[in-house]
Amino acid sequence: MKKFSALIFTIFLSSSVSQPYAKTNAPFDGVKFDNIEPFDDKSIFDLLSWKIKAISESTPWPDEIDSKQFKASSQRSVKPIITVISHASVLIQIDNLNILTDPHYSLRASPVQFAGPKRVVKPGIAFDDLPSIDIVLISHNHYDHLDLDTLKRLNERDAPKFVAGLKTKSFLEDNGIEAAVDLDWWQNITANNTKITFVPSQHWSARGLFDKREMLWGGFYIENNYKIYFAGDTGYGKFFKEIKEKLGAPDLSLIPIGAYEPRWFMKDAHLNPKDSLQVFRDLESKKMIGIHFGTFKLTDEGYNDPIQTLNEEMKKLNMDPLKVIIPTFGKPYSI
């Protein structure tokens, strides 16, 4: 890869990021991780109950949404430029670094590409139009966030550094991705003048039926002269205030607003728009961009419900609408 990335690699190697799993900052029983505020795992019977009710209660989505694709600038930027590509895939250009979160370019968020949630909108930037990526941040291993096919394409094209939660490194290495680092909550790495800290979220992990909560999940806090928080996927919890207390109020927060119905099934692990705004206030963030919506039908709410509900909740709170951005996928936003 280019000479530019050799600097990053040296910094990664010099970061002390490995530690025994028995001493993690996340609750850990030696096999499985847990949340700061634990919640019960949903059973197969809960899942079947939801799916049966969803036949009559789930709001249908369009099969396809006509959308525009943009071309990202290949010129590096010192000041932050944020582009939500779709779902939780966000291009963060800052400090002459190109950082990509939870990159997903496959047709489906599924272990197979012939079944499972199908994307209804094209990525806002075509894969071939992405600038050279230096760092890939992976919040957790669910199929709508850790898309192995996309990671392999990025690895082959750009050889970026992959950063994720504990126990993810070995999974990536088993799949041919060797430049990986896994972090505990509150651990960080540094690239150029930018520090990236892995922070708690309230969620879970699994790639199959028998590995639930065996890889750590979380969000990322990116900081130099600007502070950017990427929540990944999460339910509401007291840890948001802890993030603000430990790391400061972000200049910008990327917060999920979709995939939240029915609440009896989703509440513990997914924010709804009302929760998202509470997170925004807990963090005392200056601005917020909504993510995790309008791409895959994962839950029961309608395609437009997250945006409509978010606007309704903002009005109830008399919030400044200029502080909350509903992004056009592929469109760059400058802080």
Side-chain angles (χ1 to χ4, degrees):
M1 198 182 168
K2 297 191 294 285
K3 183 179 179 181
F4 179 82
S5 289
L7 172 62
I8 299 173
F9 188 53
T10 301
I11 295 172
F12 268 76
L13 285 177
S14 68
S15 299
S16 178
V17 296
S18 61
Q19 63 177 2
Y21 292 142
K23 297 180 180 179
T24 64
N25 293 319
F28 184 62
D29 66 5
V31 177
K32 295 181 181 291
F33 297 98
D34 210 338
N35 289 286
I36 293 171
E37 299 172 85
F39 58 86
D40 292 335
D41 292 336
K42 295 295 187 292
S43 70
I44 187 65
F45 301 105
D46 292 328
L47 178 63
L48 289 172
S49 176
W50 166 37
K51 291 299 183 181
I52 291 169
K53 290 179 181 178
I55 295 172
S56 59
E57 297 178 3
S58 180
T59 303
W61 278 33
D63 291 332
E64 187 175 352
I65 301 293
D66 186 28
S67 60
K68 179 181 177 182
Q69 287 186 305
F70 296 75
K71 286 196 174 184
S73 173
S74 59
Q75 187 173 1
R76 294 181 180 275
S77 178
V78 175
K79 294 184 178 180
I81 300 173
I82 311 297
T83 307
V84 180
I85 296 169
S86 63
H87 200 55
S89 301
V90 184
L91 175 62
I92 301 172
Q93 297 173 283
I94 187 172
D95 189 24
N96 288 316
L97 297 168
N98 291 330
I99 302 169
L100 192 57
T101 69
D102 291 353
H104 198 298
Y105 274 83
S106 293
L107 179 64
R108 296 180 187 271
S110 170
V112 294
Q113 289 301 296
F114 58 83
K118 184 178 179 181
R119 87 169 38 248
V120 303
V121 63
K122 294 178 292 188
I125 301 173
F127 183 88
D128 290 342
D129 290 331
L130 284 172
S132 180
I133 301 301
D134 305 301
I135 302 171
V136 173
L137 304 180
I138 303 167
S139 64
H140 64 296
N141 71 359
H142 285 158
Y143 287 95
D144 58 322
H145 293 260
L146 195 163
D147 179 30
L148 196 54
D149 286 346
T150 299
L151 300 188
K152 288 179 178 179
R153 291 175 71 186
L154 286 166
N155 187 53
E156 182 177 351
R157 194 192 75 164
D158 298 335
K161 310 309 167 191
F162 296 84
V163 186
L166 292 178
K167 290 195 175 183
T168 312
K169 177 182 177 180
S170 59
F171 169 77
L172 295 176
E173 289 176 340
D174 289 344
N175 285 279
I177 298 172
E178 296 184 357
V181 176
D182 52 13
L183 300 179
D184 191 7
W185 287 346
W186 306 113
Q187 273 192 310
N188 63 77
I189 54 91
T190 301
N192 292 356
N193 296 310
T194 296
K195 183 170 75 170
I196 302 174
T197 303
F198 193 55
V199 295
S201 67
Q202 181 167 297
H203 205 60
W204 52 287
S205 63
R207 298 292 283 181
L209 296 175
F210 306 109
D211 65 340
K212 195 165 190 177
R213 293 189 283 112
E214 291 183 5
M215 297 185 216
L216 186 59
W217 53 92
F220 291 92
Y221 197 99
I222 302 165
E223 56 183 315
N224 50 40
N225 293 329
Y226 302 87
K227 296 182 177 182
I228 300 169
Y229 167 63
F230 169 73
D233 199 359
T234 183
Y236 182 75
K238 62 185 180 182
F239 61 88
F240 290 110
K241 291 182 179 179
E242 185 179 7
I243 290 171
K244 187 264 174 182
E245 290 168 1
K246 286 190 173 185
L247 302 177
D251 295 291
L252 174 70
S253 295
L254 298 153
I255 301 175
I257 63 170
Y260 54 84
E261 292 289 355
R263 293 312 282 157
W264 71 266
F265 193 92
M266 295 292 168
K267 182 179 179 181
D268 291 324
H270 290 93
L271 302 170
N272 65 11
K274 183 177 180 180
D275 294 334
S276 302
L277 294 176
Q278 185 59 55
V279 171
F280 175 56
R281 295 192 293 171
D282 285 355
L283 292 167
E284 298 181 21
S285 187
K286 292 179 182 177
K287 286 194 175 184
M288 163 185 162
I289 294 180
I291 60 169
H292 204 267
F293 72 99
T295 307
F296 303 103
K297 188 181 188 329
L298 302 171
T299 48
D300 287 356
E301 75 273 6
Y303 178 79
N304 290 314
D305 287 350
I307 296 173
Q308 292 176 353
T309 305
L310 188 73
N311 286 329
E312 291 168 2
E313 294 296 334
M314 287 172 60
K315 288 180 181 178
K316 290 178 185 178
L317 296 170
N318 197 28
M319 289 181 62
D320 182 355
L322 296 178
K323 291 185 176 182
V324 179
I325 298 169
I326 305 300
T328 298
F329 294 157
K331 179 182 176 180
Y333 295 85
S334 297
I335 299 179

PDB file of all heavy atoms in Angstrom, residues 176-192:
ATOM      1  N   GLY A 176      -8.735 -14.426   6.414  1.00  0.00           N
ATOM      2  CA  GLY A 176      -7.730 -13.853   5.527  1.00  0.00           C
ATOM      3  C   GLY A 176      -7.439 -12.383   5.729  1.00  0.00           C
ATOM      4  O   GLY A 176      -6.729 -11.772   4.924  1.00  0.00           O
ATOM      5  N   ILE A 177      -7.965 -11.793   6.805  1.00  0.00           N
ATOM      6  CA  ILE A 177      -7.722 -10.372   7.083  1.00  0.00           C
ATOM      7  C   ILE A 177      -6.775 -10.286   8.266  1.00  0.00           C
ATOM      8  O   ILE A 177      -7.167 -10.482   9.420  1.00  0.00           O
ATOM      9  CB  ILE A 177      -9.041  -9.632   7.365  1.00  0.00           C
ATOM     10  CG1 ILE A 177      -9.944  -9.694   6.129  1.00  0.00           C
ATOM     11  CG2 ILE A 177      -8.777  -8.180   7.758  1.00  0.00           C
ATOM     12  CD1 ILE A 177     -11.342  -9.164   6.354  1.00  0.00           C
ATOM     13  N   GLU A 178      -5.507 -10.028   8.000  1.00  0.00           N
ATOM     14  CA  GLU A 178      -4.483 -10.121   9.033  1.00  0.00           C
ATOM     15  C   GLU A 178      -4.185  -8.805   9.736  1.00  0.00           C
ATOM     16  O   GLU A 178      -3.704  -8.805  10.872  1.00  0.00           O
ATOM     17  CB  GLU A 178      -3.200 -10.689   8.424  1.00  0.00           C
ATOM     18  CG  GLU A 178      -3.372 -12.117   7.912  1.00  0.00           C
ATOM     19  CD  GLU A 178      -2.079 -12.710   7.402  1.00  0.00           C
ATOM     20  OE1 GLU A 178      -1.060 -11.989   7.398  1.00  0.00           O
ATOM     21  OE2 GLU A 178      -2.090 -13.888   7.016  1.00  0.00           O
ATOM     22  N   ALA A 179      -4.440  -7.676   9.087  1.00  0.00           N
ATOM     23  CA  ALA A 179      -4.118  -6.375   9.694  1.00  0.00           C
ATOM     24  C   ALA A 179      -5.263  -5.924  10.590  1.00  0.00           C
ATOM     25  O   ALA A 179      -5.966  -4.957  10.313  1.00  0.00           O
ATOM     26  CB  ALA A 179      -3.837  -5.342   8.603  1.00  0.00           C
ATOM     27  N   ALA A 180      -5.474  -6.671  11.675  1.00  0.00           N
ATOM     28  CA  ALA A 180      -6.597  -6.410  12.565  1.00  0.00           C
ATOM     29  C   ALA A 180      -6.122  -6.179  13.993  1.00  0.00           C
ATOM     30  O   ALA A 180      -5.139  -6.760  14.445  1.00  0.00           O
ATOM     31  CB  ALA A 180      -7.580  -7.576  12.537  1.00  0.00           C
ATOM     32  N   VAL A 181      -6.829  -5.314  14.679  1.00  0.00           N
ATOM     33  CA  VAL A 181      -6.585  -5.021  16.092  1.00  0.00           C
ATOM     34  C   VAL A 181      -7.918  -5.126  16.811  1.00  0.00           C
ATOM     35  O   VAL A 181      -8.928  -4.598  16.326  1.00  0.00           O
ATOM     36  CB  VAL A 181      -6.020  -3.594  16.282  1.00  0.00           C
ATOM     37  CG1 VAL A 181      -5.868  -3.258  17.761  1.00  0.00           C
ATOM     38  CG2 VAL A 181      -4.696  -3.439  15.566  1.00  0.00           C
ATOM     39  N   ASP A 182      -7.958  -5.834  17.942  1.00  0.00           N
ATOM     40  CA  ASP A 182      -9.203  -5.791  18.710  1.00  0.00           C
ATOM     41  C   ASP A 182      -8.975  -5.115  20.057  1.00  0.00           C
ATOM     42  O   ASP A 182      -7.916  -5.223  20.676  1.00  0.00           O
ATOM     43  CB  ASP A 182      -9.881  -7.149  18.835  1.00  0.00           C
ATOM     44  CG  ASP A 182      -9.005  -8.273  19.343  1.00  0.00           C
ATOM     45  OD1 ASP A 182      -7.905  -7.985  19.843  1.00  0.00           O
ATOM     46  OD2 ASP A 182      -9.440  -9.424  19.243  1.00  0.00           O
ATOM     47  N   LEU A 183      -9.997  -4.376  20.476  1.00  0.00           N
ATOM     48  CA  LEU A 183      -9.901  -3.511  21.644  1.00  0.00           C
ATOM     49  C   LEU A 183     -10.938  -3.870  22.696  1.00  0.00           C
ATOM     50  O   LEU A 183     -12.048  -4.305  22.375  1.00  0.00           O
ATOM     51  CB  LEU A 183     -10.124  -2.043  21.242  1.00  0.00           C
ATOM     52  CG  LEU A 183      -9.165  -1.415  20.221  1.00  0.00           C
ATOM     53  CD1 LEU A 183      -9.575   0.023  19.946  1.00  0.00           C
ATOM     54  CD2 LEU A 183      -7.726  -1.482  20.707  1.00  0.00           C
ATOM     55  N   ASP A 184     -10.564  -3.650  23.920  1.00  0.00           N
ATOM     56  CA  ASP A 184     -11.487  -3.688  25.046  1.00  0.00           C
ATOM     57  C   ASP A 184     -12.179  -2.332  25.127  1.00  0.00           C
ATOM     58  O   ASP A 184     -11.721  -1.333  24.560  1.00  0.00           O
ATOM     59  CB  ASP A 184     -10.689  -3.964  26.319  1.00  0.00           C
ATOM     60  CG  ASP A 184     -11.563  -4.292  27.516  1.00  0.00           C
ATOM     61  OD1 ASP A 184     -12.795  -4.445  27.352  1.00  0.00           O
ATOM     62  OD2 ASP A 184     -11.009  -4.399  28.622  1.00  0.00           O
ATOM     63  N   TRP A 185     -13.303  -2.273  25.832  1.00  0.00           N
ATOM     64  CA  TRP A 185     -13.918  -0.976  26.109  1.00  0.00           C
ATOM     65  C   TRP A 185     -12.906  -0.059  26.806  1.00  0.00           C
ATOM     66  O   TRP A 185     -12.175  -0.473  27.709  1.00  0.00           O
ATOM     67  CB  TRP A 185     -15.132  -1.146  27.011  1.00  0.00           C
ATOM     68  CG  TRP A 185     -16.332  -1.755  26.316  1.00  0.00           C
ATOM     69  CD1 TRP A 185     -16.530  -1.905  24.979  1.00  0.00           C
ATOM     70  CD2 TRP A 185     -17.481  -2.297  26.959  1.00  0.00           C
ATOM     71  NE1 TRP A 185     -17.735  -2.502  24.742  1.00  0.00           N
ATOM     72  CE2 TRP A 185     -18.345  -2.755  25.933  1.00  0.00           C
ATOM     73  CE3 TRP A 185     -17.866  -2.456  28.281  1.00  0.00           C
ATOM     74  CZ2 TRP A 185     -19.583  -3.350  26.211  1.00  0.00           C
ATOM     75  CZ3 TRP A 185     -19.087  -3.050  28.567  1.00  0.00           C
ATOM     76  CH2 TRP A 185     -19.934  -3.488  27.546  1.00  0.00           C
ATOM     77  N   TRP A 186     -12.843   1.164  26.363  1.00  0.00           N
ATOM     78  CA  TRP A 186     -11.996   2.238  26.867  1.00  0.00           C
ATOM     79  C   TRP A 186     -10.542   2.114  26.418  1.00  0.00           C
ATOM     80  O   TRP A 186      -9.741   2.964  26.747  1.00  0.00           O
ATOM     81  CB  TRP A 186     -12.070   2.374  28.399  1.00  0.00           C
ATOM     82  CG  TRP A 186     -13.470   2.517  28.906  1.00  0.00           C
ATOM     83  CD1 TRP A 186     -14.173   1.648  29.659  1.00  0.00           C
ATOM     84  CD2 TRP A 186     -14.358   3.617  28.632  1.00  0.00           C
ATOM     85  NE1 TRP A 186     -15.450   2.116  29.891  1.00  0.00           N
ATOM     86  CE2 TRP A 186     -15.583   3.326  29.283  1.00  0.00           C
ATOM     87  CE3 TRP A 186     -14.241   4.813  27.925  1.00  0.00           C
ATOM     88  CZ2 TRP A 186     -16.683   4.186  29.234  1.00  0.00           C
ATOM     89  CZ3 TRP A 186     -15.334   5.660  27.876  1.00  0.00           C
ATOM     90  CH2 TRP A 186     -16.538   5.348  28.522  1.00  0.00           C
ATOM     91  N   GLN A 187     -10.199   1.090  25.658  1.00  0.00           N
ATOM     92  CA  GLN A 187      -8.879   1.059  25.043  1.00  0.00           C
ATOM     93  C   GLN A 187      -8.885   1.923  23.793  1.00  0.00           C
ATOM     94  O   GLN A 187      -9.929   2.166  23.188  1.00  0.00           O
ATOM     95  CB  GLN A 187      -8.484  -0.368  24.665  1.00  0.00           C
ATOM     96  CG  GLN A 187      -7.817  -1.138  25.783  1.00  0.00           C
ATOM     97  CD  GLN A 187      -7.189  -2.410  25.265  1.00  0.00           C
ATOM     98  OE1 GLN A 187      -7.827  -3.184  24.559  1.00  0.00           O
ATOM     99  NE2 GLN A 187      -5.948  -2.649  25.615  1.00  0.00           N
ATOM    100  N   ASN A 188      -7.697   2.346  23.383  1.00  0.00           N
ATOM    101  CA  ASN A 188      -7.625   3.205  22.201  1.00  0.00           C
ATOM    102  C   ASN A 188      -6.366   2.923  21.400  1.00  0.00           C
ATOM    103  O   ASN A 188      -5.410   2.325  21.889  1.00  0.00           O
ATOM    104  CB  ASN A 188      -7.680   4.688  22.602  1.00  0.00           C
ATOM    105  CG  ASN A 188      -6.510   5.110  23.456  1.00  0.00           C
ATOM    106  OD1 ASN A 188      -5.398   5.310  22.977  1.00  0.00           O
ATOM    107  ND2 ASN A 188      -6.760   5.241  24.764  1.00  0.00           N
ATOM    108  N   ILE A 189      -6.409   3.343  20.150  1.00  0.00           N
ATOM    109  CA  ILE A 189      -5.244   3.372  19.270  1.00  0.00           C
ATOM    110  C   ILE A 189      -5.109   4.812  18.761  1.00  0.00           C
ATOM    111  O   ILE A 189      -6.037   5.621  18.866  1.00  0.00           O
ATOM    112  CB  ILE A 189      -5.347   2.364  18.105  1.00  0.00           C
ATOM    113  CG1 ILE A 189      -6.646   2.568  17.317  1.00  0.00           C
ATOM    114  CG2 ILE A 189      -5.252   0.955  18.627  1.00  0.00           C
ATOM    115  CD1 ILE A 189      -6.544   3.504  16.173  1.00  0.00           C
ATOM    116  N   THR A 190      -3.937   5.112  18.230  1.00  0.00           N
ATOM    117  CA  THR A 190      -3.691   6.445  17.692  1.00  0.00           C
ATOM    118  C   THR A 190      -3.162   6.322  16.270  1.00  0.00           C
ATOM    119  O   THR A 190      -2.304   5.494  15.984  1.00  0.00           O
ATOM    120  CB  THR A 190      -2.663   7.214  18.555  1.00  0.00           C
ATOM    121  OG1 THR A 190      -3.168   7.315  19.885  1.00  0.00           O
ATOM    122  CG2 THR A 190      -2.441   8.604  17.992  1.00  0.00           C
ATOM    123  N   ALA A 191      -3.695   7.147  15.377  1.00  0.00           N
ATOM    124  CA  ALA A 191      -3.218   7.234  14.001  1.00  0.00           C
ATOM    125  C   ALA A 191      -3.046   8.713  13.675  1.00  0.00           C
ATOM    126  O   ALA A 191      -3.953   9.508  13.908  1.00  0.00           O
ATOM    127  CB  ALA A 191      -4.206   6.587  13.041  1.00  0.00           C
ATOM    128  N   ASN A 192      -1.874   9.073  13.137  1.00  0.00           N
ATOM    129  CA  ASN A 192      -1.542  10.497  12.962  1.00  0.00           C
ATOM    130  C   ASN A 192      -1.773  11.216  14.284  1.00  0.00           C
ATOM    131  O   ASN A 192      -1.253  10.800  15.311  1.00  0.00           O
ATOM    132  CB  ASN A 192      -2.332  11.093  11.806  1.00  0.00           C
ATOM    133  CG  ASN A 192      -1.899  10.535  10.455  1.00  0.00           C
ATOM    134  OD1 ASN A 192      -0.955   9.752  10.374  1.00  0.00           O
ATOM    135  ND2 ASN A 192      -2.561  10.941   9.397  1.00  0.00           N
TER     136      ASN A 192
END
